[in-house]
Amino acid sequence: MSLSWFLKRLALIVYTLLIVSVVVFGITQVLPGDAAQSVLGENATPAALAALRVKLGLDQPVLVQFAHWLGGVLHGDFGTSIRTGQPVGPMMFTALGRSLILTVLSLALMLVIAVPLGILAALRRGRAADVGVGLISYLGVSVPEFVTATVLLIVLADWLQLLPATGYVPLAEHPIEGLKHLVLPVLTVSLVLVAHVSRMVRSEMVDVLHSDYVRAARLKGLPERVVLVRHALRNALIPVVTIVALDVGYVLGGIIVVEEIFALPGIGRQLIVAIESRDLPAIQAGALIMAATYAVANLIADMVCALLDRRIQYD
Amino acid sequence: MTDTFARLIRTPQGLAGLVLILLLVLVVLFGPSIAPVNPEKMDFMGRFAKPGAAHWLGGDQLGRDVFSRILTGARTTIPMAVGATLAGTLAGALLGTLSAYLGGRADEFIMRTVDAVMAIPGLLLALLVVSTLGKGDLNAMLAIAVAFAPGMTRITRSVALTARRMDYVNAAVARGESGAWIVFREMLPNVTAPVVVESTIRVAFAIMLFATLSFLGLGAQPPASDWGLMISDARVYLHQAPWMIIAPGAAIAVAAIGFNLLGDGLRDAMNPRNET
């Protein structure tokens, strides 16, 4: 992992974010009806509308608006929410923090479940356990989050009364209550991922178990456990890291719905609220921050891959 | 073609997927006529009816028959998902092949931009597009197409790059054929197999995305019998009438599983070397 590789990746991220901001800004620009109208409502006087347009900078050419917005973002100023009148940046970053807790916990739970399941399926290839894991994974990738979430809500919160249905309690203030409120969202997000990743682990493991070096390790007389963990698993996991990173993008999409259902005030929910109330600065900031998070996750995955596998030389 | 089909029905996924898809096609074509009751018919006595002889999958808050609504609802969800995938695939296939054909700086520029757009999660991109165009099922379809296009571009391009180096393309270039001829007549026909596999699997995603958009109130609008919308309406009654959620949820899952299985089956069938 050379410095020049790292710098090149950083440059790519900057380009990515520039394009994302053009796309996001472009899309929100062509929103029908203008922002001033949606703030002041149907009965606003033309004079009031004109005054607000000047205040929001809507009377300027699009390019000037874009440059102004981008300049602000570079200084950490994402603008002011039309809905609340508060600065958008702090609002979105607080929400992002909550979403990241959800994301990280879901990824962790997913790995704990998916990796053993995938290995089991690979070792018992063609037998009942393999077919079972396969069926579960088909089900997992075919049920949208909002269905999983609602079914979990019915079973765990309504029938069994084990968990609180919705809402959010800060972890720092009430760790136990906070965790209880996180169980359903985390379960929902990780179930879809388990389906996807266990399938990947299985197919990688099947390939690796047929490789020459695993055969050599077995012929050398190494105990099966050492062969599996040291030789097979380590090599099977390298592509899985990349898949997990790509899944982060999927998770970020998924949390939008999951947060909405469980009333978890993360960045996904903020975005839905922003879209519903046509709060342009909030939509722009939320989308940009999500894309940036995804880009950074991919960079981290590439670095982890390079560390796991010395053969990979990025340059 | 018949060869591929024979191989397809020999794989367990392919056969199961094909059966499910045929079932779905039948429901889309004849759903309203098989439905035991008019899906719009309200029945005060049948409100929140438990699943049973009168209402196989129960009744909803207005006494409408859930089973009949699901049969009718296939008509919005499935064609919309297929249409969105087709549009996204077509756009992506064109752009991807073009990018591979142009090569060099143009290719680099197109692909880096596609990568950048892919940094926006699919659902978020679809949400942004729907919020621009306004809610509604046709706009949701368009939004899904837009969200799919970059991924399809990337896949088509990687396949087309291999085709680009083939002798028959070089021969066409040497013959002095026009760029359009080479892209449409020489390269596109040879990138279809992997693109067909990918887009079949994407129909499953499209079904889920469309249902999600409807669930969020941005796709199909009431009183449509759309599956995602049915779940969204039923959320309030999840305690009294969980079947109102479970039935359409299962319908979405069955449809998506069908396309996932068919896609996996097609992948194996179109790739005879890959018989492990």
Side-chain angles (χ1 to χ4, degrees):
Chain A
M1 217 185 325
S2 61
L3 185 67
S4 70
W5 170 78
F6 187 74
L7 290 178
K8 216 171 153 189
R9 281 301 312 256
L10 273 187
L12 212 55
I13 288 189
V14 171
Y15 179 70
T16 300
L17 292 181
L18 187 70
I19 295 291
V20 169
S21 51
V22 169
V23 169
V24 169
F25 195 85
I27 287 180
T28 45
Q29 268 306 311
V30 287
L31 278 175
D34 74 338
Q37 188 88 54
S38 62
V39 175
L40 296 176
E42 296 280 314
N43 303 323
T45 62
L49 279 175
L52 187 68
R53 276 195 199 109
V54 172
K55 191 174 154 232
L56 294 173
L58 296 174
D59 55 335
Q60 307 275 345
V62 176
L63 270 181
V64 174
Q65 286 187 48
F66 180 65
H68 185 77
W69 175 69
L70 200 61
V73 168
L74 290 177
H75 289 97
D77 173 17
F78 285 88
T80 312
S81 163
I82 296 176
R83 189 174 56 91
T84 61
Q86 301 290 316
V88 174
M91 188 173 97
M92 284 295 169
F93 279 110
T94 314
L96 178 68
R98 296 174 189 139
S99 296
L100 283 181
I101 294 177
L102 172 60
T103 310
V104 170
L105 286 179
S106 307
L107 287 174
L109 180 65
M110 175 277 287
L111 283 177
V112 172
I113 303 173
V115 174
L117 270 186
I119 297 175
L120 180 78
L123 291 178
R124 299 258 182 283
R125 209 172 140 217
R127 286 194 251 167
D130 184 22
V131 176
V133 172
L135 286 180
I136 293 174
S137 71
Y138 268 115
L139 200 62
V141 293
S142 306
V143 181
E145 282 93 353
F146 75 95
V147 176
T148 322
T150 322
V151 170
L152 285 176
L153 203 69
I154 293 175
V155 176
L156 292 176
D158 189 51
W159 291 353
L160 301 177
Q161 303 273 331
L162 286 178
L163 296 161
T166 57
Y168 171 77
V169 176
L171 272 182
E173 289 169 34
H174 305 278
I176 295 177
E177 270 305 298
L179 273 179
K180 271 189 179 171
H181 279 86
L182 276 171
V183 173
L184 283 176
V186 167
L187 266 182
T188 308
V189 176
S190 47
L191 273 182
V192 182
L193 291 173
V194 164
H196 194 199
V197 174
S198 65
R199 237 163 121 178
M200 279 310 293
V201 173
R202 177 193 176 275
S203 76
E204 290 301 330
M205 217 35 199
V206 166
D207 286 353
V208 170
L209 285 175
H210 281 99
S211 67
D212 288 341
Y213 55 83
V214 166
R215 229 158 70 94
R218 279 194 178 134
L219 290 175
K220 216 159 60 173
L222 287 179
E224 188 63 16
R225 200 165 47 89
V226 177
V227 175
L228 284 185
V229 176
R230 276 271 236 11
H231 295 255
L233 188 59
R234 186 166 169 172
N235 285 295
L237 284 186
I238 295 166
V240 172
V241 174
T242 315
I243 296 296
V244 170
L246 290 176
D247 273 347
V248 169
Y250 191 74
V251 175
L252 288 174
I255 58 169
I256 299 180
V257 187
V258 173
E259 290 179 352
E260 173 69 16
I261 291 177
F262 294 111
L264 197 158
I267 193 160
R269 185 142 206 262
Q270 293 285 12
L271 258 168
I272 296 267
V273 174
I275 286 175
E276 274 167 0
S277 56
R278 310 218 150 226
D279 189 348
L280 289 193
I283 299 177
Q284 289 160 349
L288 190 59
I289 292 171
M290 269 198 163
T293 313
Y294 184 30
V296 171
N298 275 328
L299 177 65
I300 294 174
D302 278 355
M303 288 160 65
V304 172
C305 274
L307 286 177
L308 275 177
D309 188 348
R310 308 278 163 176
R311 286 171 309 185
I312 300 177
Q313 287 296 326
Y314 296 106
D315 44 28
Chain B
M1 193 63 206
T2 41
D3 225 31
T4 312
F5 185 75
R7 272 200 299 270
L8 175 68
I9 52 175
R10 245 182 289 145
T11 62
Q13 296 104 314
L15 186 63
L18 209 61
V19 170
L20 283 177
I21 304 293
L22 277 179
L23 202 73
L24 279 177
V25 171
L26 288 180
V27 170
V28 169
L29 290 179
F30 305 111
S33 17
I34 337 171
V37 192
N38 178 354
E40 315 262 312
K41 196 185 134 225
M42 299 179 201
D43 167 18
F44 186 73
M45 298 305 288
R47 290 176 72 221
F48 303 116
K50 286 215 163 82
H55 298 281
W56 289 4
L57 296 177
D60 71 1
Q61 77 277 16
L62 300 171
R64 290 173 297 188
D65 183 48
V66 173
F67 181 57
S68 303
R69 295 196 75 202
I70 285 180
L71 287 180
T72 318
R75 278 205 171 173
T76 33
T77 314
I78 308 287
M80 287 290 168
V82 174
T85 313
L86 281 180
T89 303
L90 200 65
L94 280 176
L95 193 59
T97 318
L98 185 71
S99 183
Y101 166 72
L102 292 174
R105 278 172 185 267
D107 178 45
E108 180 84 1
F109 172 74
I110 294 176
M111 292 323 293
R112 289 293 156 265
T113 309
V114 162
D115 284 350
V117 176
M118 284 178 76
I120 308 176
L123 178 61
L124 175 57
L125 189 55
L127 276 176
L128 287 174
V129 175
V130 176
S131 68
T132 307
L133 300 171
K135 50 190 171 186
D137 45 10
L138 282 175
N139 290 343
M141 184 174 111
L142 204 61
I144 296 171
V146 171
F148 277 3
M152 293 309 300
T153 306
R154 185 138 84 175
I155 288 158
T156 320
R157 180 219 174 229
S158 74
V159 191
L161 264 190
T162 325
R164 176 82 179 82
R165 290 192 212 97
M166 292 293 168
D167 286 340
Y168 56 80
V169 174
N170 287 334
V173 174
R175 280 203 308 272
E177 301 286 6
S178 69
W181 173 279
I182 294 170
V183 169
F184 284 101
R185 297 303 299 271
E186 306 285 346
M187 288 168 71
L188 260 183
N190 286 292
V191 302
T192 40
V195 172
V196 166
V197 170
E198 176 67 22
S199 47
T200 309
I201 294 174
R202 271 178 191 253
V203 175
F205 276 110
I207 291 171
M208 292 159 68
L209 260 179
F210 187 80
T212 304
L213 288 174
S214 295
F215 176 78
L216 293 173
L218 299 166
Q221 297 299 313
S225 300
D226 176 79
W227 297 341
L229 191 63
M230 283 170 76
I231 298 181
S232 164
D233 286 345
R235 266 172 82 194
V236 198
Y237 312 108
L238 76 84
H239 183 71
Q240 294 149 276
W243 54 85
M244 283 170 62
I245 292 166
I246 292 165
I252 296 169
V254 169
I257 287 176
F259 282 100
N260 269 320
L261 285 171
L262 185 69
D264 283 355
L266 277 175
R267 191 195 341 245
D268 291 347
M270 287 178 162
N271 213 348
R273 276 160 296 173
N274 199 1
E275 276 202 341
T276 42

